[in-house]
Amino acid sequence: MIPPRLASLLEQFDFARERLTARMTGPVMDSGDGTDTGVGTPLADAELFWEPVPDCWSVRRRADGPGPRATLLAGTGDWGRDTAAYPHPWPPPFTTIAWRLSHLSEMLALRADHTAGSRALTRDDYVVGGDATAAVAAFDAGASAWREALLSVDDAALDTVGYCTYPHGSDREEPFVDIVWWVNQELLHHGAEIALLRDLYRARHA
């Protein structure tokens, strides 16, 4: 049985995940009231890497090195995501869809592992994809892994401080139910940002 406190959060997660996936892949998405709204063409590479302002942080070929004000490329493989050690640059760099989607996908995958997996994966283990197809697939894989991890959680786990050992957040100091809530708001707000960037890209190239 899914604990009642988790059931509502899981329902919210499922809806936000489905809506973002449809927003990226089309041809329609749930407008929020159960009706279908067209989203145009699926996310393409040019849109994934579109930089609407100068000096964006993005996902880049590792051979090209980090972008402006970044000091390294996170992840492993031929591609990496712009980042820098704390304290991060101020004001924060504007980030592309590629950056936001990679950040979200990595967070989901690593938190899943640190909840119900090896509890050992780090950003250095995470493979960063270099095109739209890989980016959308990585999001789907991360979201699926996180959802599967949640299905193993009971009421006692929800109240356990440090139940998730994800090393890049406050997980070790928070009850797990708060982490589940936090992941939902990450999905909601980054999903909204990605949707807005899709709207701006479409308007710019209309």
Side-chain angles (χ1 to χ4, degrees), residues 100-115:
R100 295 168 201 248
L101 193 54
S102 174
H103 162 70
L104 187 57
S105 303
E106 178 204 83
M107 179 205 68
L108 291 165
L110 264 61
R111 273 202 166 98
D113 177 73
H114 281 267
T115 299

Side-chain angles (χ1 to χ4, degrees), residues 41-105:
T41 58
L43 184 67
D45 292 355
E47 185 178 3
L48 182 77
F49 293 108
W50 177 52
E51 297 192 11
V53 297
D55 298 336
C56 286
W57 274 12
S58 191
V59 166
R60 306 179 190 280
R61 292 186 185 277
R62 197 164 299 279
D64 295 335
R69 297 197 291 159
T71 57
L72 58 98
L73 292 172
T76 189
D78 294 336
W79 296 76
R81 187 179 67 254
D82 284 327
T83 191
Y86 285 105
H88 290 329
W90 187 264
F94 194 90
T95 54
T96 63
I97 292 177
W99 193 100
R100 295 168 201 248
L101 193 54
S102 174
H103 162 70
L104 187 57
S105 303

